[in-house]
């Protein structure tokens, strides 16, 4: 093999065709994973060229490495245009041709003719020496992509509707759109910007071209490149970049490595840890979070190295300072796993990052932990963590969306950075209190109480979250920590009234309606507690008292006796002490209300925080009728009936609403109380159009109260 690093001008500047063999897969690259990152890299180089001084003696702008391609030269008849077969890298090579042609097309319209010609010769061979029309193309894809490629690369050929949906045509159009927008968005003249783009595309991109020699086994080489190698981690690439720059700056590379990076080469950092459904090396997870914290923008996992490199180049970071900061924050990140359980940071990590599976908050967590106490007082740090914990837990209890949490945390990072660490707690609390969007607001006590009171929490939340809530309630009861540690974290969730209650809990004495109501209460918060794994099976479905157990021929103790004898939890002590004779539906409802109040107190929230219960609804009510969403008109009978009412408060049942609608309520209306406060559903828009909003929703009784706004 012969390998050399070439620019696009050197690869495509001759009369050569790069042919993708028939057996290669079709073009499959896409916008998110490949086109956008490639354009981002090219745009960065062009921006650097725009800012760099020109002329003799000016420092060179570094080139961007695009990867490698492997070529084989098959035996072909002597002709004017030679051909190379693409063994590996056909996706990269095809995309580069589409990018070059798209740039040429835009420059032909908006730029200088000489720049358009400079790119044209990189995508087209001289037609006068081509033996057929297709030989004019420098690259030629596999059979199934040829029609789409021909249409995308030919200015004169129309693109059929079928071709328009292919990845090749969409890639070409994506680059045309991005280049056009970039050319017209900067302070420089469009022609000057496109000139620098031409320079970047021709001379500041680098590709390793590997030419196979006679006797080389192309298939073995392909398999070795794609299947047998150990891929580099993003952190490996970052390490290589940092020390290359350090060497170029004549720094003591050996000393920098020993002082800052050597600890990051331990096996601990290369261990793979769970991240969503994937297992990722711990060091890449850390660097990803670290970049988000530092750049205050989203960093995709496949962009870790590219974003780090751009940050290093764009902001001209001092390499030694950057290494020192990265190493210091790595120590903080590693210590997160051993935070004391009773500390506020330790509690936050367990409850929010682990139990609630909300690792997305880690960049903010790292930011709050990295400051010395002189810069960020512990009270302010703990206040910030408490506010975030309350925000996450309350929204989980209300079953509210988490779709905007990434953006919210980035905005919070920006605000913390702007104001500074000294008042981080005040900043975080104020920021979260002021959020008004449905995807961001901090739920009120009333919303939490309504959700907890009726929601089947055991089914609505994953088990780890339910367990964490009950542990927090237990810890709250253990006011005297001298009597023992925090609540154990290896307990199981137990239903006091069993899920299979019909076996021993007086099923014969209940009519069908009462049995349905009881089923609705089984999974609510007031019927749940914690027990150890050995006790849980023995309790099973036993009646509440020993007398009931004996009367049913079971003998031994009832569930209450088992709790009294074997459990040391305060939660269970309260249940046993307060209910010596029976555990009823009324008991469950009362305990649910009590626990809801305690949850609101444990995860307190400022009373000044905004709750946009009617935000979306009020907006809809202010619209002229002709601008109402079409779906709202389908609820006109309900809207007109409400508008005809003189009372400001209207108790209604779900059945009555369905009678007015002539259709069943949405599924979530009967299972989740927060649905009624979300404001975005057509039914709720119709209520708002009539000037009413829902309150006091009771999923058990299937009723609510409509209040005039």
């Amino acid at each position: 093999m012969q390998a050399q690093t070439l620019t696009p001008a050197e690869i495509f500047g001759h009369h050569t065709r790069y042919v993708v063999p028939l057996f290669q897969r079709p073009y499959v690259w896409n916008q998110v994973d490949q086109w956008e990152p490639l354009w981002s890299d090219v745009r960065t180089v062009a921006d650097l060229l725009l800012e760099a001084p020109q002329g003799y003696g000016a420092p060179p702008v570094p080139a961007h490495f695009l990867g490698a391609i492997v070529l084989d030269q098959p035996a072909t008849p002597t002709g004017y245009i030679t051909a190379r077969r693409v063994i590996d890298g056909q996706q990269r090579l095809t995309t580069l041709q589409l990018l070059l042609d798209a740039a040429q097309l835009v420059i032909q319209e908006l730029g200088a003719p000489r720049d358009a010609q400079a790119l044209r010769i990189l995508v087209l061979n001289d037609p006068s020496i081509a033996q057929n029309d297709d030989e004019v193309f420098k690259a030629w894809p596999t059979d199934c992509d040829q029609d789409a490629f021909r249409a995308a690369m030919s200015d004169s050929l129309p693109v059929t509707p079928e071709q328009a949906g292919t990845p090749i045509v969409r890639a070409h159009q994506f680059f045309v759109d991005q280049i056009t927008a970039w050319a017209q968005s900067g302070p420089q003249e469009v022609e000057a910007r496109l000139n620098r783009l031409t320079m970047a595309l021709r001379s500041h991109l680098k590709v390793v071209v590997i030419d196979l020699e006679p006797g080389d086994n192309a298939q073995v080489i392909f398999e070795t490149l794609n299947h047998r190698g150990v891929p580099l981690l993003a952190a490996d690439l970052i390490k290589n970049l940092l020390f290359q720059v350090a060497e170029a700056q004549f720094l003591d590379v050996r000393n920098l490595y020993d002082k800052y990076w050597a600890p990051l080469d331990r096996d601990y950092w290369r261990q793979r840890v769970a991240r969503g459904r994937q297992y990722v090396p711990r060091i890449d997870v850390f660097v990803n979070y670290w970049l988000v914290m530092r750049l205050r923008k989203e960093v995709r996992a496949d962009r870790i190295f590219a974003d780090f490199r751009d940050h290093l180049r764009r902001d001209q970071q001092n390499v030694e300072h950057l290494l020192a900061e990265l190493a210091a924050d790595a120590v903080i990140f590693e210590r997160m796993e051993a935070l004391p359980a009773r500390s506020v940071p330790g509690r936050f990590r367990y409850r929010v990052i682990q139990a609630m599976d909300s690792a997305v908050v880690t960049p903010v967590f790292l930011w709050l932990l990295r400051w010395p106490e002189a810069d960020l007082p512990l009270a302010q740090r703990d206040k910030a963590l408490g506010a975030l914990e309350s925000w996450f837990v309350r929204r989980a209890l209300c079953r509210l969306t988490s779709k905007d949490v990434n953006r919210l945390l980035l905005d919070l990072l920006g605000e913390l950075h702007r104001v500074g660490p000294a008042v981080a707690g005040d900043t975080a609390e104020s920021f979260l209190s002021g959020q008004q969007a449905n995807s961001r607001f901090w739920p009120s006590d009333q919303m939490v109480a309504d959700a907890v009171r009726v929601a089947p929490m055991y089914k609505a939340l994953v088990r780890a979250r339910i367990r964490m809530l009950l542990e927090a309630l237990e810890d709250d009861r253990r006011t005297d920590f001298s009597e023992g540690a925090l609540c154990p974290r290896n307990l199981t969730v137990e239903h006091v009234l069993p899920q299979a209650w019909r076996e021993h809990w007086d099923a014969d004495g209940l009519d069908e309606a009462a049995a349905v109501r009881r089923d609705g209460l089984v999974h609510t918060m007031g019927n749940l507690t914690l027990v150890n794994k050995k006790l849980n099976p023995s309790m099973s479905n036993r009646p509440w008292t020993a007398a009931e157990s004996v009367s049913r021929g079971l003998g031994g103790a009832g569930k209450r006796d088992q709790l009294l004898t074997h459990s040391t939890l305060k939660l269970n002590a309260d249940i046993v002490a307060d209910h010596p004779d029976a555990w009823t539906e009324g008991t469950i409802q009362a305990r649910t209300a009590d626990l809801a109040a305690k949850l609101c107190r444990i995860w307190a929230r400022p009373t000044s925080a905004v709750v946009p219960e009617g935000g979306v609804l009020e907006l809809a009510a202010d619209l002229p009728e002709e601008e109402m969403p079409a779906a709202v008109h389908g609820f006109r009978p309900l809207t007109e009936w409400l508008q005809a009412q003189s009372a400001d408060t209207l108790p209604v049942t779900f059945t009555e609403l369905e009678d007015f609608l002539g259709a069943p309520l949405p599924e979530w209306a009967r299972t989740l109380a927060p649905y009624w406060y979300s404001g975005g559903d057509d039914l709720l828009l119709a209520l708002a159009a009539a000037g009413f909003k829902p309150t006091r929703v009771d999923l058990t009784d299937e009723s609510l109260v409509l209040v005039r706004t």
Side-chain angles (χ1 to χ4, degrees), residues 77-215:
T78 301
Y80 292 107
I81 299 177
T82 61
R84 298 291 182 91
R85 186 170 57 181
V86 184
I87 301 301
D88 188 49
Q90 61 110 339
Q91 305 281 331
R92 181 176 294 107
L93 185 140
T94 302
T95 307
L96 184 55
Q97 277 288 296
L98 293 169
L99 171 60
L100 289 168
D101 187 74
Q104 180 269 327
L105 186 65
V106 174
I107 293 170
Q108 182 175 293
E109 179 180 355
L110 303 176
R114 64 180 181 277
D115 291 330
Q117 178 60 24
L119 293 183
R120 187 179 294 108
I121 63 176
L122 301 186
V123 295
L124 296 176
N125 293 311
D126 187 346
S128 64
I129 61 173
Q131 297 185 32
N132 56 61
D133 292 342
D134 292 333
E135 276 199 352
V136 299
F137 299 111
K138 299 278 185 177
W140 192 237
T142 191
D143 290 32
C144 61
D145 287 328
Q146 289 171 5
D147 289 343
F149 187 82
R150 189 185 294 112
M153 300 287 287
S154 301
D155 297 344
S156 58
L157 289 179
V159 176
T160 67
E162 182 180 6
Q163 294 167 347
T166 62
I168 280 182
V169 172
R170 289 192 292 110
H172 189 272
Q173 187 60 49
F174 169 81
F175 290 127
V176 168
D177 295 341
Q178 295 299 314
I179 293 169
T180 303
W182 174 82
Q184 298 173 337
S185 66
Q188 302 88 355
E189 293 291 331
V190 171
E191 187 172 308
R193 293 176 67 80
L194 290 173
N195 172 258
R196 296 303 187 273
L197 178 62
T198 302
M199 294 170 58
L201 290 171
R202 282 182 56 87
S203 306
H204 287 78
L205 303 180
K206 293 292 182 71
V207 178
V208 172
V209 179
I210 302 173
D211 283 300
L212 303 186
E213 297 179 328

Side-chain angles (χ1 to χ4, degrees), residues 583-661:
W583 184 261
T584 66
E585 290 91 334
T587 298
I588 295 173
Q589 291 173 316
R591 184 169 180 262
T592 298
D594 178 60
L595 295 185
K598 289 177 179 176
L599 291 171
C600 289
R601 178 171 51 77
I602 293 170
W603 288 290
R605 157 193 173 276
T607 55
S608 59
V610 176
V611 179
E613 291 187 3
V616 175
L617 301 179
E618 291 167 3
L619 177 63
D622 291 337
L623 290 174
E625 183 174 348
E626 62 272 13
E627 296 182 22
M628 284 285 181
V632 174
H633 288 289
F635 296 98
R636 185 181 298 277
L638 174 61
T639 302
E640 292 177 347
W641 177 79
L642 289 172
Q643 289 174 334
Q645 304 305 305
S646 58
D648 292 332
T649 303
L650 296 173
V652 293
T653 66
F654 291 178
T655 301
E656 289 172 335
L657 285 177
E658 289 177 333
D659 289 341
F660 286 117
L661 295 174

Side-chain angles (χ1 to χ4, degrees), residues 16 240 282:
T16 307
N240 184 271
R282 183 181 276 110

Side-chain angles (χ1 to χ4, degrees), residues 428-489:
E429 188 175 274
S430 174
F431 174 85
L432 295 173
S433 296
Q435 300 303 308
Q436 299 185 41
N438 285 332
S439 59
R440 291 188 169 204
F441 74 89
W442 198 348
S444 66
D445 288 359
Q446 186 60 54
M447 285 194 69
V448 173
D450 285 345
V452 173
R453 181 166 53 88
V454 296
M457 286 295 179
Y458 187 79
K459 289 188 173 182
L461 299 180
V462 296
R463 202 72 71 248
R465 295 186 179 186
I466 287 289
R467 185 183 298 112
M468 182 273 291
L469 295 173
L470 292 167
E471 290 167 351
L473 290 164
E474 173 67 18
D475 289 339
D476 186 59
R477 280 285 284 114
R478 298 186 178 198
T479 54
D480 182 4
F481 287 111
S482 64
E483 67 184 31
L486 298 174
C487 178
R489 292 179 180 171

Side-chain angles (χ1 to χ4, degrees), residues 295-311:
L295 303 180
R296 299 181 295 284
K297 72 168 192 175
E298 185 177 358
V299 177
R300 295 202 319 262
D302 63 341
R303 290 282 303 171
I304 295 173
F305 171 68
D307 284 354
F308 185 96
R309 179 201 58 212
D310 294 345
H311 174 54

Side-chain angles (χ1 to χ4, degrees), residues 502-517:
R502 287 170 173 80
E503 185 177 359
H504 298 303
W505 285 68
D506 198 27
D508 297 337
L510 296 179
D511 60 27
E512 184 177 351
V516 170
R517 284 195 297 271

